[in-house]
Amino acid sequence: YGNRLLPAALEGRAGWEIGCFFVLWLVALIHAALRPSAAAWIEQLALGALLCAGLPLLNALITGQHLGRYMANADWTSAGVELTAIGFGALLATAALKLHRKGRKA
């Protein structure tokens, strides 16, 4: 998200991207420390799912490129990135749902 949302002309952009990454890790750590363990897992998995699944949408909005165009142009590297993000989103959503259901049964 930092790669897509930070302006391309931003001075020291690479450093800002790295900074975004570590700030978000810190936010996740603080969130996990403040919430009950089971709830934190479910919430962070669900948020990860939304972010992964939303990445192709953000890419389409920001760049005008999308999975269909990548596949039509045989740009398999970019299509692979998009499909990987969608796949991880689905896996994270599945994990969040399983933990949520397990918590309701307990």
Side-chain angles (χ1 to χ4, degrees):
Y1 277 81
N3 177 271
R4 290 289 180 244
L5 295 174
L6 291 172
L10 180 66
E11 188 172 327
R13 185 172 189 266
W16 280 97
E17 285 184 31
I18 293 168
C20 288
F21 177 82
F22 284 111
V23 165
L24 290 174
W25 270 101
L26 180 61
V27 168
L29 177 66
I30 292 168
H31 171 262
L34 296 176
R35 298 285 293 149
S37 179
W41 271 105
I42 294 167
E43 292 161 0
Q44 289 195 21
L45 286 168
L47 180 60
L50 287 172
L51 290 171
C52 284
L55 195 57
L57 177 61
L58 177 68
N59 185 53
L61 292 172
I62 299 291
T63 68
Q65 299 292 321
H66 54 80
L67 180 59
R69 184 171 291 160
Y70 292 141
M71 294 176 78
N73 293 334
D75 182 355
W76 302 116
T77 302
S78 298
V81 170
E82 302 272 296
L83 289 169
T84 299
I86 293 167
F88 272 107
L91 290 172
L92 291 169
T94 301
L97 284 170
K98 284 188 177 197
L99 284 178
H100 179 69
R101 288 181 185 145
K102 182 179 176 183
R104 285 194 320 194
K105 288 180 183 178

